[in-house]
Amino acid sequence: AVVAGDPEPWHPSLLPPDGTPTVVRERIDRDREHVREQFQALLAWALAARGGAAGDVDLELASHSLLVVVEQWGRLILRDPDRFSSDRLARFVQSFVAALDK
């Protein structure tokens, strides 16, 4: 919903044009790492809430994977918002998590 609601600021990080200045790429990389660290903490919390142990999953790799998925979803929203709406993506996550709980 954040990307769909205000797509313009997301273009430089999700769809960077050729020749993006180094200083901009470095800032994007720092921000991306910050988000990945937040995902890692969230995944650790979710694992613990479900009774899992920290060693059950490589949380660093899981957070990198989640970041890739979320960035790709952002690109889908920017490139084809009618086909890939934030509501559609949210429904997918809900149905996927529900299927895992079965």
Side-chain angles (χ1 to χ4, degrees):
V2 172
V3 174
D6 190 13
E8 208 52 42
W10 293 95
H11 280 270
S13 59
L14 295 177
L15 300 170
D18 291 336
T20 300
T22 301
V23 67
V24 174
R25 297 298 311 154
E26 289 172 351
R27 170 65 189 266
I28 290 168
D29 290 343
R30 280 193 311 274
D31 291 347
R32 182 175 284 127
E33 178 60 14
H34 178 71
V35 170
R36 189 207 58 78
E37 289 170 351
Q38 290 178 321
F39 282 160
Q40 186 169 336
L42 177 64
L43 291 167
W45 171 84
L47 182 64
R50 295 179 66 110
D56 291 347
V57 176
D58 185 328
L59 294 176
E60 184 178 14
L61 285 177
S63 65
H64 277 284
S65 300
L66 183 56
L67 181 62
V68 169
V69 169
V70 169
E71 287 180 339
Q72 178 61 18
W73 288 355
R75 288 184 200 97
L76 292 172
I77 289 170
L78 290 174
R79 291 181 178 142
D80 195 351
D82 293 331
R83 184 172 169 200
F84 298 103
S85 69
S86 56
D87 288 340
R88 179 180 177 193
L89 295 172
R91 284 191 309 273
F92 165 76
V93 171
Q94 290 170 341
S95 66
F96 188 80
V97 169
L100 291 175
D101 282 339
K102 291 182 179 178

